[in-house]
Structure formats: C-alpha cells, structure tokens
Amino acid sequence: MATATAATAPMAAAAAPAKKAPKDLPAPNSDFYELAETLDAEELATVKRVRAFMEARVAPVVTKYWVDDAFPFELLPAVKELRIGGLAMHGYGCAGGSLALLGFVQMEIARIDPSFSTFMGVHIGLAMGSIYIDGSEEQKQKWLPPMARFEKIGCFGLTEPLVGSGASGGLTTTAKREGDTWILNGEKRWIGNAPWCDVSIIWARDLADNQVKGFIVENKIALKVVQNGHITMKDVRVPEASRLQGGNSFRDTAKVLRMTRYAVAWMATGCAMGAYEAALKYAQERMQFGKPIGSFQLVQDLLAKMIANITASQCLIMRQAQLHAEGKLTDAHAALAKAFCTAKCRETVAWAREVLGGNGIVADFKAARFFADCEALYSYEGTYQMQNLIIGKAVTGLSAFL
Ligand SMILES: Cc1cc2nc3c(=O)[nH]c(=O)nc-3n(C[C@H](O)[C@H](O)[C@H](O)COP(=O)(O)OP(=O)(O)OC[C@H]3O[C@@H](n4cnc5c(N)ncnc54)[C@H](O)[C@@H]3O)c2cc1C
C-alpha cells in the first residue's frame, strides 16, 4: 500500500483531494445463495468453530508461512481441539457427520488458506480415507483413532517422478511378496505431509499379478528428502499385515480418489471465496479518480462474474453431497465437480488478482496467495484433462484412456 501511494504521489498532489469511501458498505459475503442455511444447528456450529479458528489463528500468520515455505506446526495443538479429525467417517474415534459437512469445513479452511486445507485433505481424505475405505477392521482399529486425534499424521504416495496422470496402469514402484513380508522399491514425488508424517500409504505394483496394492508404512521408511516430500524406497520391508487388505487393484485406489476429488471441489470453491472477499474489500476501499474502484462498472463486472462462478460451484458441490447421501455419487460426478470448480476457481482468482492491480502480485494482499495456490488444486488429485477423460467416458460410453 505504502509503495503504491509513494509511486502516485506527484499526480495525487495535483488532483483534487481523494474522497473517503462511503460508509456502511456491505461486508464481503461469498455465500450469495445462503448455502450455510442448509446445515443443521450442530453442523453449523462446527463450521463456525472452524471459521473462527481460521480467521483468528491462521489468517494473521499464514502469509508469512507461505512466503517462508514453512508449515505452521505451532497451530497443530489448536487443530486437535477443533474435533474435525475423520469428518464423514464413522466409528474409530472419527468426527463423523455428513460428507456435506466435510465439504463445508474444507471450503472454510481453503477460504483462508488452501495449503492448510491441502494438509487436511491429505491427512483426512487420502491417508485416513485409504485405511477407512480399503483397510481391514484391525487396521482401522489401530490407525484411525490416533489419526483422528491428529496424534499420527498421514501421507499418500501414489505419484512418481515419471508417472503422474498414468498412475492407474503405469506405476513403477514395485511390491514383491516374500512369505509374510512385502519388499517395496521405487520413488514417490510430490507427497504432501511426507517430510514429517508418521504413516505413509504407499501404492505399488505387485510383481506377481501386476495389480496396484496399498501399504501402510510406518515412520521413516527410507530416504525422505525433507521439504519436497520425495520418497525413495530401496528394499523397504513391510509385513503382509500392513498391506491394505481391501486395496487389491487401482479400482480400490480410485474409491479413495473419488472422495478426495469431491473434497478438492469444495476446497477450490473456498479458495475462490477467499480471493473474492479480498478483492471485494479492496474494491470498496481503494480510491481512484476520487471514488472507490468498486463503484466503476467494469470492476463491478469482474466482481459479479466472480460471485457467479462461486455460487455456481457451491450449488454444484451441494448437489454432489446430496448424490453421495443418496448413495449415487460416481467417479464421473466427482470428476465433474473437481474439474469445473478448479477451472472456475482459476478464473476467479485471476479476476481477484486483476482487481487489486499491482498489489495483486504482492503476498501481503492475499489475492496473490490464492492465485498461486489455485494452480496446485487445478493439477493435483488428477489434472483437468484426466477428470474430463473420466467424464467423457461416462457420457459417451467410450474410453479415451490408453
Ligand atoms: C502441490 C502438489 C501436491 C501433491 N500432493 C500429492 C500427494 O500428496 N500424493 C500424490 O500421490 N501425489 C501428489 N501430487 C501429484 C499430483 O497428483 C500430480 O502432479 C498430478 O496427478 C499430475 O501428474 P504429473 O504432475 O506427473 O503430470 P503429467 O501426468 O505428466 O501431466 C502433464 C500434462 O499432460 C496432461 N496429460 C497427461 N496425460 C494426458 C492424456 N492422456 N490426455 C490429455 N492430457 C494428458 C495432463 O493433464 C497435464 O496437463 C501433488 C502435486 C502437487 C502439485
């Protein structure tokens, strides 16, 4: 802000004194169609608890962590108090609740910080979700309670340095059974939480039947290069009891991905909401030509398009939650939500950045953070193209996968 004022100071001195922004403008609200009204009182209380935590504890510090490329470990004790570990999972000490509630919570978290929602998404959705969906009763009893309490943190290793979108048929990490032990060899790339987590879900190709299988690997399994979450496994020995008993092919991996893609659609919508609210507040306060820039028609056009994108995404993800509650949510439904909401988020955060002018590329003004973080949401958990291939197969009945 100070830099911008200094740069325009000579012009400002010659022009008429800038007027103050009109008072009593509406506070930015990105829930235009009042989606929160669909929650019951208990669910709403959970969402409000998460919002209060994100606004009071995360918002003030997160930009510094973002700039420093660091994780806010200091916040973990307070996260434990939120009672959201294992939302939408039932039993095993999990928080329970509906999948809609999980979505709302992830949207709230991403509204302040998409990185924090990614941490949650990896731990709850991918790591706990793999055990909840594909684990044996014994594995659930052992791992889910401490993970729900955030005492054990998990990661999910599917992607490899040379295999991303083609993971279903092309994993190069191998699993070889020797009696009651499996020997894992290979590398995993981009693995969120990997540098410091306690338990890794590793997906590898069984040399015997060529199927993708999941393994629960405890603690440091090999050379985990801190920071970038690159995992290298050389003859890592895992007992048969730690193989996900229900994870016998990539179809079982896909069951986990369906749920996490569902959640990424909510996170992308939250990311767009955060960017929109930052842009709207800025537009109400930033004075140019003696008026708030929010009073200019072309700026209002951007804001209207942003809230339209957000509202369309919110309605779509709500219907997605209803489909799940009705037992009808398919891979294609989740793929459509992930593709649409991340694409609309991308459009929205770019408009938010534009509303902030030069300040849109400065970390202190929030929009830049949402703008950059959206790119990861757009590509992880399956790229836009991969989601569209899943949708294309569902609507045509013809697979374009190789
Ligand atoms: C921040 C971040 C966090 C992540 N966290 C995790 C994690 O915790 N665990 C994990 O396992 N992975 C994780 N990933 C990996 C992520 O899921 C992959 O990056 C993603 O699946 C894409 O794989 P890739 O990067 O290898 O791209 P590629 O597969 O090489 O794709 C490159 C481009 O080619 C396109 N493309 C590829 N194949 C086709 C095709 N058949 N038709 C049309 N277009 C095609 C893609 O859409 C994309 O645009 C993370 C990634 C990021 C960026």
Side-chain angles (χ1 to χ4, degrees):
M1 202 53 124
T3 317
T5 311
T8 55
M11 291 283 287
K19 288 179 203 157
K20 280 195 166 173
K23 282 184 183 156
D24 300 330
L25 296 177
N29 170 20
S30 50
D31 187 5
F32 202 62
Y33 275 14
E34 302 184 357
L35 249 70
E37 299 285 311
T38 62
L39 294 170
D40 67 29
E42 197 181 333
E43 291 175 329
L44 193 58
T46 302
V47 173
K48 283 187 173 170
R49 192 162 67 243
V50 171
R51 175 172 286 214
F53 167 75
M54 292 304 296
E55 289 184 343
R57 300 292 308 277
V58 181
V61 299
V62 74
T63 300
K64 176 155 176 27
Y65 279 105
W66 191 80
V67 169
D68 292 347
D69 264 345
F71 184 82
F73 289 103
E74 56 167 291
L75 296 174
L76 275 183
V79 169
K80 294 177 184 176
E81 304 301 316
L82 289 174
R83 304 191 297 282
I84 56 172
L87 267 176
M89 296 176 204
H90 301 272
Y92 314 102
C94 295
S98 65
L99 205 65
L101 177 61
L102 170 71
F104 269 97
V105 163
Q106 279 291 47
M107 190 165 75
E108 276 305 327
I109 296 175
R111 175 179 158 267
I112 299 296
D113 182 29
S115 301
F116 215 76
S117 67
T118 298
F119 155 67
M120 293 286 187
V122 171
H123 173 62
I124 299 176
L126 287 169
M128 291 182 71
S130 294
I131 297 171
Y132 188 73
I133 292 171
D134 287 334
S136 66
E137 182 60 27
E138 202 179 350
Q139 290 168 334
K140 291 179 201 181
Q141 296 280 3
K142 176 175 177 185
W143 287 106
L144 293 178
M147 292 175 86
R149 294 192 297 269
F150 291 92
E151 287 165 14
K152 297 274 184 202
I153 300 296
C155 78
F156 178 93
L158 177 65
T159 308
E160 303 177 349
L162 298 179
V163 185
S165 303
S168 58
L171 281 192
T172 62
T173 298
T174 56
K176 186 168 174 246
R177 187 164 182 170
E178 285 182 8
D180 269 351
T181 302
W182 289 85
I183 316 291
L184 304 185
N185 278 291
E187 287 181 55
K188 296 290 175 186
R189 181 156 197 245
W190 287 117
I191 310 308
N193 301 349
W196 55 278
C197 70
D198 307 284
V199 54
S200 306
I201 306 297
I202 298 291
W203 299 93
R205 192 167 50 82
D206 182 354
L207 286 173
D209 64 6
N210 220 25
Q211 295 295 330
V212 172
K213 297 193 170 145
F215 298 87
I216 306 172
V217 185
E218 295 181 44
N219 297 321
K220 292 239 170 196
I221 58 172
L223 307 172
K224 295 212 286 185
V225 182
V226 195
Q227 294 300 320
N228 64 359
H230 192 117
I231 299 175
T232 303
M233 288 165 290
K234 184 149 179 15
D235 294 335
V236 172
R237 300 176 77 81
V238 184
E240 158 63 11
S242 294
R243 183 180 62 79
L244 285 173
Q245 299 296 312
N248 296 315
S249 75
F250 194 79
R251 279 177 202 281
D252 299 314
T253 322
K255 287 182 199 159
V256 181
L257 294 176
R258 181 195 306 164
M259 303 320 297
T260 53
R261 285 170 182 164
Y262 161 96
V264 176
W266 286 86
M267 287 157 58
T269 307
C271 176
M273 289 163 69
Y276 163 77
E277 290 180 26
L280 174 53
K281 189 162 185 300
Y282 190 87
Q284 288 171 324
E285 292 170 359
R286 173 75 173 173
M287 306 292 287
Q288 288 299 304
F289 301 95
K291 292 178 173 177
I293 60 168
S295 68
F296 301 135
Q297 292 178 353
L298 295 179
V299 173
Q300 289 193 2
D301 178 61
L302 289 176
L303 291 165
K305 289 191 291 194
M306 289 162 75
I307 192 66
N309 270 355
I310 290 166
T311 307
S313 297
Q314 288 169 335
C315 292
L316 186 146
I317 51 186
M318 273 303 292
R319 178 60 189 146
Q320 203 196 187
Q322 288 170 350
L323 285 170
H324 177 267
E326 293 164 11
K328 295 184 196 158
L329 187 76
T330 64
D331 288 346
H333 290 139
L336 182 81
K338 202 271 177 182
F340 182 84
C341 295
T342 55
K344 290 296 149 190
C345 177
R346 216 179 181 205
E347 216 171 54
T348 306
V349 296
W351 287 328
R353 196 222 61 75
E354 193 174 336
V355 167
L356 270 75
N359 287 331
I361 63 163
V362 180
D364 290 349
F365 288 85
K366 293 187 191 168
R369 187 162 49 81
F370 290 111
F371 179 79
D373 286 352
C374 173
E375 289 300 303
L377 301 180
Y378 183 71
S379 286
Y380 70 34
E381 306 264 355
T383 63
Y384 184 75
Q385 287 75 17
M386 287 301 112
Q387 309 303 334
N388 280 353
L389 290 178
I390 294 169
I391 300 160
K393 183 179 169 190
V395 297
T396 63
L398 302 167
S399 174
F401 287 103
L402 298 174

